Amino acid sequence: MAHSGGRGWYGKVIAAALGVTAVAAMTSLWDTRLGSSDGRPDRGSVSASPSGPDAQAQGQKTVPVSEEIAHASDGGARSVNITIDDGPDPAWTPQMLEVLRDNGVKATFCMVGTQAQAHPDLVKDVVAAGHRLCDHTVSHDVTMDRRSEAYQSQQILDAERMITKASGGVRPMYYRAPGGAFTPYSRHLAASRGMRPLGWNIDSKDFERAGTAAIVATVKGEMSNGPTLLFHDGGGDRSQTVAALRELLPWLKEQGYSFGFPVR
């Protein structure tokens, strides 16, 4: 999610996650907007593997990736990345999957840990359709960059475990900080776990629910900003997003764009 709007819904998510975070705290202890951190994870503790990124996502050993926030597409200069945040949601994720399937497009789903835990069948549906997973923390706290390293670690690593379990063993390949609230520590931690920090170039502003036409116009007007587009399948009524994607995906093809995944 790009904005801190919709706090009522996220308040419920955070409240639902409190039990998880409390237990986890007992058992485990594109921009970087705050200063540096000293307690960085030990790089030497990460196991290397010769397998590629998709093999890694299927449960192979962790392969560290770049800490830099990714914006580019692995499909080249005329390729775009569709990224979809805050789900999975039983009402809207299946509709997103249908639109993507109808247009032959693969996307990256940035999932909130508690949502993945609540809807494992949807996580498996996303994976089965050939899309990629992204860790979007346990409770979607947009103040992550002002929280302790222990808290950041719990939010990222517990969400990774929740998503991996829900998917049946497929690990997230990216980490997107809620609201873009990255820190040097969180980027390094995610990258050490094989999750490339993921930014965006175009915020569709679908979270504002200003109407399908407004979402479409925003994306069309900002295509020169870069290849990574931000949409949402969670956090409320996403019918406008579904309708906008039905219009935008064919339009992007007509403009000569192909579809890829964020670089790893």
Side-chain angles (χ1 to χ4, degrees):
M1 171 182 166
H3 302 287
S4 57
R7 291 184 182 275
W9 183 83
Y10 286 110
K12 294 177 183 178
V13 173
I14 292 172
L18 284 177
V20 176
T21 59
V23 173
M26 296 173 63
T27 58
S28 63
L29 272 175
W30 40 327
D31 59 65
T32 57
R33 294 181 289 177
L34 285 190
S36 61
S37 304
D38 295 327
R40 293 157 70 88
D42 180 9
R43 293 177 186 271
S45 66
V46 177
S47 300
S49 166
S51 302
D54 287 299
Q56 175 191 328
Q58 296 292 337
Q60 300 297 323
K61 291 182 179 180
T62 302
V63 180
V65 293
S66 172
E67 299 176 22
E68 295 301 312
I69 299 174
H71 297 93
S73 176
D74 65 5
R78 294 292 291 177
S79 181
V80 298
N81 308 317
I82 303 298
T83 66
I84 302 174
D85 286 17
D86 298 358
D89 181 277
W92 306 112
T93 303
Q95 295 187 47
M96 298 283 185
L97 289 172
E98 179 182 7
V99 174
L100 293 166
R101 184 190 66 235
D102 290 347
N103 287 275
V105 173
K106 304 302 180 187
T108 300
F109 283 79
C110 299
M111 296 185 174
V112 174
T114 50
Q115 290 294 105
Q117 187 176 59
H119 306 291
D121 289 347
L122 293 178
V123 183
K124 292 180 177 68
D125 288 345
V126 167
V127 171
H131 306 293
R132 287 185 179 178
L133 302 177
C134 171
D135 180 332
H136 204 34
T137 74
V138 172
S139 55
H140 200 283
D141 185 347
V142 297
T143 68
M144 282 277 287
D145 56 350
R146 301 194 295 274
R147 306 299 291 267
S148 70
E149 290 179 355
Y151 178 86
Q152 294 177 56
S153 177
Q154 174 269 315
Q155 285 282 312
I156 294 167
L157 298 182
D158 283 3
E160 179 191 13
R161 285 190 286 270
M162 290 175 176
I163 294 166
T164 302
K165 181 177 180 180
S167 72
V170 180
R171 298 177 57 246
M173 300 176 71
Y174 307 92
Y175 164 65
R176 174 173 275 166
F182 290 100
T183 67
Y185 176 83
S186 68
R187 290 190 294 111
H188 179 75
L189 175 62
S192 75
R193 296 290 304 162
M195 297 183 291
R196 179 76 184 263
L198 177 59
W200 62 86
N201 303 106
I202 301 169
D203 178 2
S204 70
K205 297 183 174 62
D206 62 338
F207 206 82
E208 298 176 2
R209 294 201 286 272
T212 298
I215 297 169
V216 170
T218 296
V219 172
K220 288 183 176 181
E222 296 185 9
M223 283 306 299
S224 61
N225 290 351
T228 301
L229 283 62
L230 171 62
F231 301 95
H232 297 85
D233 63 342
D237 186 338
R238 301 270 71 90
S239 57
Q240 295 176 5
T241 306
V242 173
L245 283 171
R246 288 194 188 281
E247 183 173 342
L248 282 167
L249 297 181
W251 178 83
L252 287 165
K253 291 181 180 181
E254 291 169 2
Q255 304 308 304
Y257 290 102
S258 60
F259 297 89
F261 290 110
V263 293
R264 292 263 304 159

